[in-house]
Amino acid sequence: MKHTLTLAAWNFRLARRSLLALWGIFAAQQLALVVFRICWQGAAGMGLASHYYVTMQIFAYLGFYLLTGLAAGLATHNSRRARSGYTWATLPGTPGQKFGAKAITIAAAEVVFAAWQFVWYIVEFYPVTALEVHLARKLYGAALPPANLYEQVVANNLFSRLLPRRPLQLVILLGILALSALLLAALDTVRGWRKLPVFAVGVLCAWQCFYLVTVEQHPEWMFTSASRNVTMALAAVLAVLTVWWAVRSIRRGETC
C-alpha cells in the first residue's frame, strides 16, 4: 500500500500544473457568468445561490469534475516535468499498484476540486453580495438586507447534492467518487478502440449514479423497478470487468 501511495503522489506531482490551470478556468467562468447576470440582466439582489442555478453551475461543476479526473490521468503520461524522465508506467510496481495509484490520484484531484468549489463560493460570496447591494441601491434607491452565507449555501442546488446531509447520501457520494476514479483511470490506461467500450461503461454507470442521487431522499424507490435493478447490476459487473481489463492492459504493455 505504501508503494501505491508513493506512485499516487508521483502522479499528482506531474498533474498539479494542469489541474491548477483547469481549476482557474472553472473559477473564472463561474465568476464571469455570475457578474454578467447581476449587471446585465437586472438580477441584483437575487442572491448567489440563484445566480448559480440560472447559470447552470451544477452542470459546469459536473463537467469540470470529469475533466479534473481526465487531466489528472493524462498528465501522468507526460514525463517532461519529471527530471528523472520516468513515467507512471516505467516506475517499479505491479500492474495493480500502478492502476491503483492512478485511481487514487484521480480521486484525490476530484476531492480537492470539490473543496475548491466550496472555498471559491465563500470567496466570491462577499464581493458578489456587495456588488448586488450597490447596484440595487443605484437602480431602486434601496436594497433589501442580503441573505447571509449560510442561507446561500443551504439554498444552493449544487451544495444540496455536494455536501452530504444523510448517511445514505454520504455513501452514494463516496461510491460515485470511487467509481469515477476507477473508470477514468481505466479510460486513460487503455488505448485505441479499447477506449470506446470503457467510455460506454462509464456513461452507463454515470446514468445509474445520477438516478441514485435523484432518489436518494426516498430509498424505497431505488429497487422497485426490475429493469432498473438489472441495469444497475449490469453496470456494476461491467465496471468490475473494465477495471480488470485495464489492469490486464498494463500487464501486457497495451497502455498509452
Side-chain angles (χ1 to χ4, degrees):
M1 185 62 184
K2 181 179 179 179
H3 183 69
T4 302
L5 294 177
T6 301
L7 290 176
W10 178 275
N11 292 340
F12 202 91
R13 177 180 179 274
L14 295 179
R16 69 187 187 280
R17 292 184 181 178
S18 299
L19 293 175
L20 289 175
L22 182 66
W23 297 340
I25 294 172
F26 169 75
Q29 68 83 28
Q30 193 169 93
L31 183 60
L33 289 176
V34 168
V35 172
F36 175 81
R37 182 173 186 246
I38 295 173
C39 296
W40 283 275
Q41 296 186 11
M46 299 299 292
L48 188 55
S50 173
H51 304 320
Y52 263 54
Y53 179 79
V54 174
T55 58
M56 297 185 291
Q57 287 304 308
I58 186 171
F59 297 106
Y61 171 82
L62 292 174
F64 276 89
Y65 184 86
L66 295 176
L67 287 176
T68 292
L70 290 173
L74 290 174
T76 61
H77 291 289
N78 185 3
S79 62
R80 287 179 297 178
R81 299 195 188 101
R83 295 181 180 179
S84 63
Y86 284 105
T87 67
W88 73 278
T90 58
L91 287 170
T94 66
Q97 288 176 327
K98 293 178 180 180
F99 182 83
K102 183 181 287 289
I104 291 174
T105 301
I106 293 173
E110 291 174 338
V111 169
V112 174
F113 174 64
W116 166 238
Q117 166 62 105
F118 186 68
V119 171
W120 181 243
Y121 190 82
I122 297 174
V123 169
E124 65 182 336
F125 169 78
Y126 296 101
V128 165
T129 302
L131 177 62
E132 285 191 299
V133 171
H134 171 73
L135 291 178
R137 287 176 177 170
K138 183 177 179 180
L139 293 174
Y140 311 117
L144 294 174
N148 59 39
L149 178 59
Y150 175 78
E151 292 171 338
Q152 290 297 314
V153 169
V154 172
N156 192 306
N157 68 324
L158 171 60
F159 289 143
S160 66
R161 295 169 172 81
L162 183 60
L163 297 176
R165 304 177 183 181
R166 293 167 295 276
L168 180 59
Q169 187 180 14
L170 176 61
V171 171
I172 291 176
L173 289 177
L174 290 177
I176 292 175
L177 173 67
L179 185 61
S180 65
L182 290 171
L183 291 181
L184 287 172
L187 182 64
D188 181 59
T189 298
V190 300
R191 67 179 182 180
W193 64 268
R194 298 176 182 86
K195 289 185 179 292
L196 294 177
V198 176
F199 178 79
V201 172
V203 171
L204 176 62
C205 290
W207 178 252
Q208 300 309 308
C209 290
F210 178 78
Y211 168 76
L212 290 177
V213 171
T214 303
V215 303
E216 174 270 328
Q217 296 187 36
H218 306 280
E220 66 276 7
W221 295 358
M222 290 185 181
F223 305 105
T224 56
S225 172
S227 60
R228 176 69 66 177
N229 295 342
V230 172
T231 304
M232 293 177 63
L234 178 63
V237 172
L238 290 177
V240 173
L241 292 177
T242 299
V243 171
W244 170 82
W245 194 16
V247 174
R248 178 177 175 273
S249 297
I250 298 175
R251 182 177 295 110
R252 299 183 63 177
E254 298 173 348
T255 57
C256 298

